[in-house]
Amino acid sequence: MNSMEEHDVGISCYISNLPGFRGVLKQRYSDFIVHEVDTDGKVVELSSLEAIAEESKVSAVESKENQTDASETEVISYASQIEAFKSLAGDSDASCLEEFINQINAGGEESLSPIILSPDSDKSHRTAVHIFFRENFNFLVTDTVDGPDASSKCIRVRSNSGKSNNRDKNSRKRKERDNKPFDSRGSENWPDAGKFLRFHLYKENKDTQEALGVLGHMLGIRSKSFGFAGTKDKRAVTTQRVTVYKQQASKLASLNGKLFGIKVGDFCYVNEGLCLGQLLGNRFTITLRGVVADSVDTIKAAADSLGRHGFVNYFGLQRFGSGSVPTHLIGAALFRGEWKHAVDLILDPRDGDILLSFLEYITDDMSYSINSKARKYYKDTNDIAGTLKQLPQFLVAERAVLKCLKQFPGSYLQALKSIPRTLRMMYVHSYQSYLWNNAASTRVQKYGTEQVVLGDLVYCKENPSEKVAEIVGLDSGDDCGDSYDTNNEDEVSGDIHDKSSSNVKVVNAEDLNSKCYTIDDVILPMPGSRSIYPTNDIVKVYNDLTNKDGVSLTESVHNAKEFSITSVTGSYRRVFQKPINFEWELLTYTDSNKPLVETDLDKIGKSKPINVNPVSAPNEQKEKASDCISQFESSDDGPKVETDHDEIGEKEVTLPHDESVRDSSSQDSHNALKLTFTLPSSSYATMAIRELLKTSTSVAYQKTLNQ
């Protein structure tokens, strides 16, 4: 398989039979803007980069705590470890190490130079020294450097700046707080302002984890210390809420001048940190460029239909991974208990993967080619250590599997479980989503999109959570993000989980006669041990596909519970989703390198000059649909109408991240369609765009449009 297509994962139907038109999605990452919608229904925007007023009180407390930490650090003694090291390496090296540690504990860690131990030509002895440091001084790191002559080597010792000076105490605390989404140290003396700092994170062309990793590195804390409601799409401009435990707003605000493609602001102190799922959805502002249609009426009819009837609420292609091996195939292997096959699917070369070349094309990042070469190297040599040296760090699952196999050869199940839980559960959820998509397509093909039929599943009308379901939808969606897909998840909101399924019912004849349910109420299950299935023909889809894949919906063939459908609770998802507060507007532009919509940062820059990378302001002429008819009807190749604004195509602009897409000197007028709407957190915006354009959202097709 060279490139995953929509039909491979069950995406095949539309709600309307209206014709589509041409439009390029995400030609620029700034054409895809996402704002989180919080649990109060408020759209999260970046409006200020300034720290808040209560800083003096917080600063005083932190200063006091820093003094306390320093005093605690001074009493730490490593005398016994130094004495043991003396017997291993000699008096000279032991004295040198003791002085080095004393300097670190005195607070001079940042300016401290590494120390070099005595030359050592015995490799086994050097190995013993490395192990000794790893077991006794976890705040130090060692490596081997060339000695004074060709036959000798020396061990270099330096401080690991990511570790706290209060070594043993903090190591214990890290273990104690492993199940907490934040760093809980030092809370006793924090003022009444609220122990969590909440801020708005604005990012451009970066995924959420990457942005938080940058902030964590600059603050000297782990990215796990941050709490957030959902991950956002990478190739986009997004704004979301983030919380961090006991950090000063002024400290974060001071980072803005050093950050590239990231800004933080709108600070406040709150009592609780954010957790995944604590959002209503996402507000999207999407610009489709290079729009070409038979007439403006085609666009108007398609946009009006999307607003009135919505779209089939498919899980988008992002749900099934970014590689040529769909993650649902790995999920099926896990459900069957084929551990080695699952590992092979994760690690094997992916020949002809069109996504790799596309990602290189839009990012100029050669790590994607390195990824492909590393996979082939492992397949040919089975050299785990050599493969790990080649694999990019962002391949978390692959690296985790290889590290485990290096330590425990042949332990494939253990290797799979070494993958971070949210990431390995992606494979399970992906297969559930594959079944759901196929069931949804069959529902549309067999029973249409206009009415409820006998045997459909719905939520009971008396369900008190029904109003929430109406607002949020039954799942998460497009570009709002599941926590495991870090590259393309600005499109995902959340599925409604009902552990008892007591609020789900099968539509009967009485329900049909009363007409109390509409097509918008129809849901389908994500298979699980407690899932209820439709009693009409749709249930056959689940049975037929799982039988074909050798997966059982009712019993497990292995004892690994997390990889068994019978041990997964399951959930439900709305089959049809309407965009909320839907708006659309036709625009014209002449310079393809200029943004057409203002970002939050653009708006802040207008009101107050700030030190940011320049982003050109949108100068393009806006026209309503009724004014654009002649342009759309002028040619099948697109409009070629001169305007008074043609000269802006000649201006030179500075673009962040080299987002230029073509020669900006062209004076041809082009058309764009700006769409603004809100989706619940588990719906995919790309599926709404698919309904509008009637074109594929696959990487292969989008690449042809960008070319």
Side-chain angles (χ1 to χ4, degrees):
M1 178 179 290
N2 291 336
S3 178
M4 182 168 53
E5 297 294 337
E6 291 178 343
H7 61 80
D8 296 322
V9 293
I11 302 172
S12 60
C13 296
Y14 301 100
I15 286 184
S16 80
N17 294 320
L18 295 170
F21 52 93
R22 182 190 187 276
V24 182
L25 177 65
K26 294 190 181 183
Q27 185 178 80
R28 299 166 50 92
Y29 63 77
S30 54
D31 291 340
F32 204 99
I33 299 176
V34 187
H35 291 94
E36 187 170 276
V37 179
D38 66 20
T39 51
D40 295 324
K42 182 179 179 181
V43 177
V44 176
E45 297 178 328
L46 184 72
S47 59
S48 170
L49 302 179
E50 305 297 326
I52 49 183
E54 309 104 52
E55 285 299 288
S56 57
K57 190 175 181 182
V58 176
S59 299
V61 171
E62 182 163 285
S63 175
K64 180 180 178 181
E65 290 180 346
N66 286 341
Q67 293 173 7
T68 302
D69 289 343
S71 64
E72 289 178 350
T73 300
E74 290 171 2
V75 301
I76 295 178
S77 171
Y78 294 95
S80 60
Q81 291 93 328
I82 295 294
E83 192 64 29
F85 183 69
K86 185 182 298 184
S87 63
L88 176 66
D91 293 347
S92 175
D93 283 347
S95 298
C96 183
L97 176 62
E98 185 176 18
E99 182 181 354
F100 186 67
I101 292 175
N102 289 338
Q103 288 179 305
I104 292 177
N105 284 337
E109 182 175 1
E110 292 184 1
S111 59
L112 201 58
S113 299
I115 59 172
I116 306 295
L117 302 182
S118 302
D120 189 349
S121 58
D122 185 346
K123 183 176 181 180
S124 61
H125 183 260
R126 293 198 306 269
T127 300
V129 172
H130 286 302
I131 294 173
F132 183 87
F133 273 91
R134 189 160 60 242
E135 293 178 346
N136 293 276
F137 304 107
N138 68 341
F139 58 97
L140 300 176
V141 292
T142 60
D143 58 2
T144 302
V145 297
D146 291 333
D149 54 71
S151 62
S152 66
K153 298 286 184 180
C154 295
I155 290 179
R156 177 174 58 182
V157 183
R158 62 185 189 276
S159 170
N160 182 357
S161 58
K163 301 284 186 180
S164 169
N165 291 347
N166 202 351
R167 313 298 172 186
D168 296 336
K169 176 182 175 183
N170 288 340
S171 291
R172 290 195 300 271
K173 286 198 171 185
R174 286 191 191 96
K175 294 178 182 177
E176 292 169 1
R177 67 174 180 267
D178 268 350
N179 293 325
K180 299 178 182 178
F182 54 85
D183 185 336
S184 61
R185 287 173 289 182
S187 61
E188 295 85 357
N189 297 322
W190 192 255
D192 297 331
K195 291 183 172 62
F196 291 88
L197 175 66
R198 189 177 71 199
F199 60 94
H200 292 178
L201 170 67
Y202 169 97
K203 60 183 183 63
E204 299 177 348
N205 203 32
K206 288 179 172 57
D207 62 57
T208 301
Q209 294 288 0
E210 178 186 359
L212 294 181
V214 171
L215 292 178
H217 178 74
M218 298 179 77
L219 292 171
I221 61 176
R222 297 184 300 171
S223 57
K224 186 180 179 181
S225 301
F226 297 98
F228 53 92
T231 59
K232 304 298 177 206
D233 192 57
K234 176 176 181 177
R235 189 164 172 78
V237 176
T238 73
T239 307
Q240 66 186 109
R241 298 164 301 151
V242 176
T243 55
V244 63
Y245 197 78
K246 210 170 75 69
Q247 289 288 332
Q248 290 187 57
S250 58
K251 184 181 291 187
L252 268 77
S254 68
L255 301 180
N256 280 321
K258 309 171 187 176
L259 293 167
F260 184 72
I262 302 172
K263 290 291 178 285
V264 292
D266 296 273
F267 303 99
C268 68
Y269 291 100
V270 295
N271 294 321
E272 299 292 337
L274 284 169
C275 296
L276 286 173
Q278 291 182 335
L279 74 168
L280 282 186
N282 296 276
R283 183 74 176 166
F284 298 94
T285 302
I286 299 173
T287 306
L288 300 174
R289 292 181 182 254
V291 171
V292 178
D294 295 336
S295 70
V296 72
D297 289 336
T298 298
I299 298 173
K300 184 178 185 302
D304 288 345
S305 175
L306 177 60
R308 287 197 312 271
H309 305 297
F311 55 96
V312 183
N313 197 25
Y314 289 121
F315 289 98
L317 290 176
Q318 303 95 311
R319 183 78 163 194
F320 304 94
S322 56
S324 61
V325 177
T327 51
H328 76 276
L329 297 182
I330 302 173
L334 294 176
F335 284 133
R336 292 192 298 267
E338 298 175 356
W339 314 131
K340 184 179 186 305
H341 181 51
V343 167
D344 288 342
L345 288 173
I346 293 171
L347 296 178
D348 276 357
R350 300 173 181 186
D351 295 333
D353 191 344
I354 195 171
L355 178 64
L356 296 179
S357 58
F358 179 60
L359 290 174
E360 287 178 4
Y361 167 73
I362 62 176
T363 64
D364 290 329
D365 187 349
M366 296 307 294
S367 64
Y368 298 105
S369 287
I370 296 172
N371 163 25
S372 182
K373 293 175 182 177
R375 291 178 186 277
K376 188 175 187 306
Y377 175 81
Y378 176 70
K379 184 73 171 180
D380 294 341
T381 67
N382 205 35
D383 175 11
I384 294 179
T387 305
L388 284 170
K389 290 179 181 179
Q390 298 181 41
L391 272 180
Q393 292 293 326
F394 68 82
L395 294 177
V396 177
E398 289 85 345
R399 294 184 63 85
V401 167
L402 286 172
K403 286 179 180 179
C404 185
L405 289 178
K406 182 180 179 181
Q407 188 174 2
F408 306 102
S411 299
Y412 297 107
L413 176 57
Q414 188 171 349
L416 291 165
K417 287 187 175 182
S418 72
I419 301 172
R421 176 173 172 78
T422 53
L423 187 56
R424 68 179 184 260
M425 291 309 293
M426 171 187 69
Y427 306 126
V428 171
H429 297 153
S430 180
Y431 187 73
Q432 292 174 300
S433 304
Y434 165 75
L435 296 177
W436 191 97
N437 276 0
N438 280 278
S441 290
T442 302
R443 173 59 179 79
V444 173
Q445 293 163 358
K446 195 169 188 67
Y447 300 120
T449 62
E450 297 181 358
Q451 59 186 9
V452 180
V453 300
L454 199 66
D456 273 338
L457 290 185
V458 294
Y459 267 88
C460 301
K461 283 295 185 183
E462 59 271 19
N463 176 15
S465 65
E466 176 200 358
K467 289 186 178 180
V468 175
E470 283 183 10
I471 298 173
V472 181
L474 297 187
D475 36 302
S476 304
D478 208 324
D479 305 287
C480 357
D482 287 340
S483 61
Y484 44 75
D485 191 344
T486 60
N487 287 326
N488 289 293
E489 275 290 324
D490 223 3
E491 292 208 7
V492 185
S493 303
D495 306 322
I496 287 186
H497 293 259
D498 185 344
K499 295 183 179 180
S500 67
S501 293
S502 60
N503 293 323
V504 176
K505 67 167 293 179
V506 177
V507 173
N508 55 35
E510 183 181 347
D511 297 323
L512 293 180
N513 291 333
S514 66
K515 297 183 179 179
C516 59
Y517 294 103
T518 69
I519 192 67
D520 295 329
D521 296 314
V522 177
I523 59 177
L524 283 172
M526 295 276 284
S529 60
R530 303 178 186 178
S531 297
I532 295 175
Y533 293 89
T535 57
N536 50 33
D537 289 346
I538 307 306
V539 70
K540 290 184 59 180
V541 177
Y542 293 94
N543 293 328
D544 291 347
L545 286 176
T546 52
N547 287 338
K548 178 176 71 70
D549 294 333
V551 175
S552 173
L553 290 173
T554 58
E555 59 185 31
S556 178
V557 297
H558 55 74
N559 295 322
K561 289 187 175 181
E562 65 180 291
F563 299 142
S564 170
I565 283 186
T566 59
S567 299
V568 177
T569 301
S571 60
Y572 299 89
R573 179 179 177 89
R574 191 188 300 277
V575 178
F576 305 103
Q577 180 64 54
K578 292 179 181 178
I580 303 165
N581 298 327
F582 178 70
E583 301 172 2
W584 63 276
E585 181 182 13
L586 284 170
L587 313 173
T588 60
Y589 64 98
T590 56
D591 189 345
S592 297
N593 287 329
K594 283 197 171 184
L596 300 177
V597 178
E598 283 187 327
T599 65
D600 290 351
L601 203 57
D602 294 332
K603 295 173 184 176
I604 293 176
K606 276 187 171 182
S607 61
K608 182 179 180 180
I610 54 177
N611 182 24
V612 298
N613 297 302
V615 179
S616 55
N619 296 318
E620 288 73 24
Q621 177 187 12
K622 295 183 179 181
E623 298 187 15
K624 296 297 182 181
S626 58
D627 299 325
C628 297
I629 296 177
S630 60
Q631 296 186 38
F632 282 95
E633 294 180 341
S634 62
S635 168
D636 290 338
D637 296 328
K640 301 182 184 300
V641 179
E642 294 182 0
T643 72
D644 294 335
H645 295 264
D646 283 341
E647 70 274 14
I648 65 175
E650 300 174 358
K651 294 182 179 179
E652 181 177 352
V653 296
T654 304
L655 295 167
H657 312 296
D658 291 324
E659 209 189 353
S660 177
V661 293
R662 64 167 68 93
D663 184 1
S664 63
S665 62
S666 171
Q667 296 191 10
D668 290 340
S669 179
H670 304 282
N671 296 282
L673 179 62
K674 174 187 171 185
L675 305 163
T676 308
F677 54 88
T678 298
L679 290 178
S681 60
S682 159
S683 295
Y684 286 75
T686 49
M687 294 296 98
I689 301 303
R690 173 183 177 274
E691 176 71 30
L692 181 76
L693 300 180
K694 300 295 191 297
T695 57
S696 172
T697 58
S698 72
V699 169
Y701 181 75
Q702 291 300 316
K703 182 182 179 183
T704 63
L705 294 182
N706 276 286
Q707 286 178 332

